[in-house]
Amino acid sequence: KWKQQLEVVLWAIRLAVQINGKVLFLWLSISIIAAILPAVSLHFNRASAAILSAFLTTGQGEFSDIVPSLVGLGVTMVLIGASNRINQGFLYLVMYDDYYLGFAEYLMDHVQKVELKTLMDKDYADSYQSSVGRAGALSDLLSTACMIVSRCVTIISLLIVALELSFTLFAALLIYVGAVMILYGLKFRASWMDSHRVRAAEREADYWKQAVLSPGVAKEIRIYNSSNLIIKQWKKASEKVQTF
């Protein structure tokens, strides 16, 4: 299962590069640069504190000695403030034109090569409609991937800074990060399972709702007087959706 999911992810990345690799590379690079800014700010902050501490202790030094560190810290803080606008929603909007519409175009190009007989097949039509409905999945995947890479780079850079300061601090931070990742993984799995149950319940409810719109089914409902059964099944499926 994990191997299949990995293959899907790799295929999606190859498709994204094929559609527009420059946009993916640009925003991935920006996300990585923004991710290391907190560690850079700690570096300048520590350098400023060291210079100031030495001056207060020994009385030696000039104001010009601390200026580069203060300027670096100020510029870094400004960049951190600007980078706070980079989130998954923002990245999704940035990538929408290229990857949402690009993926839809890719699907249409694919369908153009399929024989009409195959297009009339119900299973194929259902698969195609499901794929079209998930055209935004590529943008979701890429924007989420940028944020995950960004978070990982931030964690690694802060761990490096913590290791330079104190091994005890590094160990405590490492334990904290590990605990958070475990809890997040458990929560993500629960949310993922719930989302699958919701989609299954929604499909079932939609099936019973759409069934009565088919002329052949509507005729059978009247002949066998099964309208109450259809309504009961629809209500049962709808209640599942509301439960989640």
Side-chain angles (χ1 to χ4, degrees):
K1 185 177 180 180
W2 283 104
K3 183 179 179 180
Q4 292 178 346
Q5 292 176 347
L6 179 60
E7 290 176 351
V8 171
V9 170
L10 294 177
W11 171 82
I13 293 174
R14 289 195 297 268
L15 179 60
V17 173
Q18 177 183 340
I19 294 174
N20 193 338
K22 294 180 180 179
V23 171
L24 178 60
F25 177 78
L26 173 64
W27 285 103
L28 186 60
S29 300
I30 292 175
S31 299
I32 292 174
I33 293 173
I36 64 175
L37 290 177
V40 174
S41 69
L42 288 176
H43 168 75
F44 284 120
N45 189 32
R46 186 176 60 173
S48 301
I51 295 172
L52 184 59
S53 177
F55 175 76
L56 294 175
T57 302
T58 64
Q60 297 179 354
E62 301 291 338
F63 177 74
S64 58
D65 297 336
I66 201 174
V67 170
S69 297
L70 291 177
V71 171
L73 179 60
V75 171
T76 304
M77 295 304 295
V78 170
L79 292 176
I80 289 175
S83 67
N84 287 335
R85 291 183 174 273
I86 301 177
N87 51 45
Q88 185 177 348
F90 173 79
L91 289 173
Y92 180 87
L93 293 176
V94 169
M95 297 179 175
Y96 179 89
D97 289 340
D98 289 292
Y99 299 116
Y100 185 99
L101 301 179
F103 187 43
E105 183 178 352
Y106 172 83
L107 289 173
M108 288 187 288
D109 291 341
H110 177 75
V111 170
Q112 294 295 326
K113 303 174 184 178
V114 179
E115 295 182 359
L116 181 60
K117 180 180 179 181
T118 303
L119 292 175
M120 299 300 293
D121 182 73
K122 181 181 181 302
D123 292 337
Y124 184 89
D126 290 342
S127 298
Y128 174 72
Q129 291 299 325
S130 176
S131 300
V132 170
R134 294 287 295 159
L138 185 59
S139 297
D140 285 331
L141 173 65
L142 298 177
S143 59
T144 302
C146 286
M147 294 307 301
I148 291 176
V149 171
S150 174
R151 296 292 184 269
C152 290
V153 171
T154 298
I155 292 172
I156 293 173
S157 61
L158 291 177
L159 284 172
I160 293 174
V161 173
L163 182 59
E164 292 178 350
L165 293 174
S166 168
F167 181 79
T168 303
L169 178 61
F170 169 78
L173 184 59
L174 188 62
I175 294 173
Y176 171 77
V177 171
V180 170
M181 292 183 67
I182 293 173
L183 293 175
Y184 180 80
L186 295 174
K187 181 179 179 181
F188 173 79
R189 179 174 177 81
S191 301
W192 183 77
M193 294 297 294
D194 286 343
S195 65
H196 274 262
R197 295 191 187 100
V198 169
R199 284 198 293 270
E202 288 176 343
R203 285 196 299 269
E204 183 180 356
D206 187 65
Y207 168 79
W208 290 111
K209 183 176 70 174
Q210 297 295 331
V212 297
L213 301 179
S214 174
V217 175
K219 183 178 180 181
E220 291 182 359
I221 292 174
R222 290 195 299 270
I223 292 175
Y224 296 105
N225 193 24
S226 57
S227 58
N228 291 333
L229 175 63
I230 299 296
I231 294 174
K232 180 180 178 180
Q233 293 295 334
W234 174 75
K235 287 184 176 180
K236 183 178 179 181
S238 298
E239 289 175 355
K240 289 182 182 179
V241 177
Q242 295 175 1
T243 299
F244 293 110

